Amino acid sequence: MNNFRFHAYTDIFFGKGQIQNLPEILNRFGKRVLLVYGGGSIKRNGIYDQIQELLKGFEITELSGVEPNPRITTVRKGVELCKEKKIDVVLPVGGGSTIDCSKVIAGGAYYDGDPWDLVLDSKKIGKVLPIVTILTLAATGSEMNKNAVISNVELNEKLGTSSLDFIPQASILDPEYLYTLPAIQTAAGTADIMSHVFENYFKTMTSAFIPDRFAEGILEACIKYGKIALEKPDDYEARANLMWASTMALNGLVGAGNGAAWSCHPIEHELSAFYDVTHGVGLAILTPRWMRYILSENTVDRFVMYAENVWHLPASEDKFALANQAIDLTENFFKECGIPMTLTELGIDDSKFDIMAEKAVKNGGLHRAYVSLDKEDVIKIFKMCQ
Ligand code: NZQ
Ligand code: ZN
């Protein structure tokens, strides 16, 4: 295992009714709260009313309308509100988009220039307002990690930034809040969790036993409980396992000691930047094609490990047959979850493959990925997704 720093300080409140702890948690930071949320799901499912009831003694300022693939324009609005209302703590209630938007708002509150600077250059992130999250979508791991991904629509840019101070101080994870998710968001979220694991699991270093076993456990949980949650949206055990899988897949635990540049994520971020694609849908389309593209004598052993430990396929002399079977199962799983599995189904043709491939390689450092990818490789992968 390589050297790593793992600093996980988020105070997690997991389970039914944990929102009751919200006043006590926020009191640690102050009374002036910026409540951040998206397009209204929290009003429809009652979480908004619960919060208003619990926070009667607080001074709440609201920022609503955070977009899926959150935009810098919304971050700017939030920063202004923080400065104007002298906000003490930022409270995102929603999925990764709302939480990511809040992270850059929290950093922007102490920054004098345009918050887009903080996305372009994480070294410019200084002091950050405390962040407390209420998660409503199991996917990104943003509830316990240092990352934020922000889009600039005018520039067709979707970029990640990070700071240890972006790690939420506390997160409330109530699996019942996932019951109202549209099926496609449950499916896309599950694909995203799996992709976070794949990005770390497929790597050149082979001596990370503990991260590998964590990874396989999370993948098995997604395969088992993703299906159950889709069949029965209010299955508590399924939602609870998916929620914890989301948090554990990208809080540094699986990646510890086995770093390398990621592969599908930088490619997907270009699809989102140019076509506003749902992150998990883009990943589900790309992942099996990327797997087939990189399968070789050098990588096949990892795929065999994946086949045997995650899909429990019987050992075989023919390593490539086993690897391909596991990749087919991965693709079928996403298909059975109801995810459209081609770019064509999303209305994406080949007109921007070139520019998206170029930017993915540049922004994602794809030459440093598990299997190094250049622009032509990425174009070939896009073509496989048509
Ligand atoms: O906006 P509302 O009305 O709340 O509706 C949302 C949104 O339309 C809806 N939703 C969320 N919870 C719901 C619900 N609808 C009903 N019931 C609920 N309980 O779901 C839609 C999607 O929400 P969003 O927050 O966009 O989804 P997700 O959590 O998948 O976040 C995606 C964003 O996170 C970034 C992605 O690139 C994308 O921008 N990522 C962030 C990462 C991180 N911070 O570490 C890593 C990831 O790899 C990813 O890049
Ligand atoms: Zn992701």
Side-chain angles (χ1 to χ4, degrees), residues 1 8 15 44 47 49 55 78 92 97 161-162 166 174 222 233 236 240 245 254 258 272-273 280 302 307 327 350 381:
M1 262 193 263
R44 290 188 291 278
I47 305 175
D49 289 342
L55 299 190
S97 295
T161 186
S162 74
F166 278 178
D174 184 337
C222 288
Y236 184 81
V254 173
N258 60 10
S272 290
R302 280 254 135 198
I327 298 172
D350 60 4
I381 293 170

Side-chain angles (χ1 to χ4, degrees), residues 197-204 290-291 302-303 306 370:
V197 174
F198 291 141
E199 299 278 18
N200 287 304
Y201 186 76
F202 290 100
K203 58 181 195 293
T204 36
W290 164 75
M291 287 176 162
R302 280 254 135 198
F303 281 99
Y306 170 58
Y370 170 48

Side-chain angles (χ1 to χ4, degrees), residues 37-45 47 65-71 93-101 103 135-151 158-161 174-182 184-186 188-190 192-193 195-196 199 246 250-251 262 265 268-269 272 276-280 283:
Y37 56 97
S41 70
I42 69 162
K43 289 200 168 165
R44 290 188 291 278
N45 60 19
I47 305 175
V66 177
E67 313 79 4
N69 297 327
R71 299 181 182 183
V93 185
S97 295
T98 298
I99 300 175
D100 286 6
C101 184
K103 288 177 176 178
L135 184 69
T136 67
L137 202 172
T140 64
S142 193
E143 63 274 14
M144 198 179 168
N145 74 30
K146 61 187 166 70
N147 310 318
V149 186
I150 303 294
S151 295
K158 178 177 178 177
L159 300 172
T161 186
D174 184 337
E176 291 184 316
Y177 290 165
L178 306 179
Y179 293 173
T180 56
L181 277 168
I184 188 65
Q185 292 296 341
T186 296
T190 303
D192 189 23
I193 300 169
S195 178
H196 297 155
E199 299 278 18
S246 155
L250 195 51
N251 66 352
W262 286 16
H265 269 70
E268 192 296 311
H269 283 176
S272 290
D276 207 14
V277 162
T278 298
H279 176 61
L283 289 170

Side-chain angles (χ1 to χ4, degrees), residues 230-299:
L230 284 165
E231 277 158 23
K232 190 169 175 289
D234 62 351
D235 188 298
Y236 184 81
E237 273 317 297
R239 294 300 193 177
N241 278 286
L242 289 174
M243 203 166 218
W244 199 224
S246 155
T247 311
M248 287 296 123
L250 195 51
N251 66 352
L253 204 60
V254 173
N258 60 10
W262 286 16
S263 304
C264 290
H265 269 70
I267 305 176
E268 192 296 311
H269 283 176
E270 297 311 321
L271 288 174
S272 290
F274 282 86
Y275 295 98
D276 207 14
V277 162
T278 298
H279 176 61
V281 169
L283 289 170
I285 295 173
L286 287 164
T287 298
R289 282 59 185 242
W290 164 75
M291 287 176 162
R292 281 195 194 96
Y293 190 77
I294 65 158
L295 180 61
S296 72
E297 204 54 65
N298 292 332
T299 61

Side-chain angles (χ1 to χ4, degrees), residues 10 13 67 84-85 93 104 124 138 143 166 179 199 205 207 212 215 223 228 232 234 240 289 294 301 306 332 355 377:
T10 308
F13 292 79
E67 313 79 4
E84 186 191 319
K85 305 279 185 180
V93 185
V104 186
K124 291 192 174 157
E143 63 274 14
F166 278 178
Y179 293 173
E199 299 278 18
M205 200 181 52
S207 61
D212 282 346
I223 293 162
I228 296 175
K232 190 169 175 289
D234 62 351
R289 282 59 185 242
I294 65 158
D301 289 341
Y306 170 58
N332 276 336
I355 177 76
D377 295 317

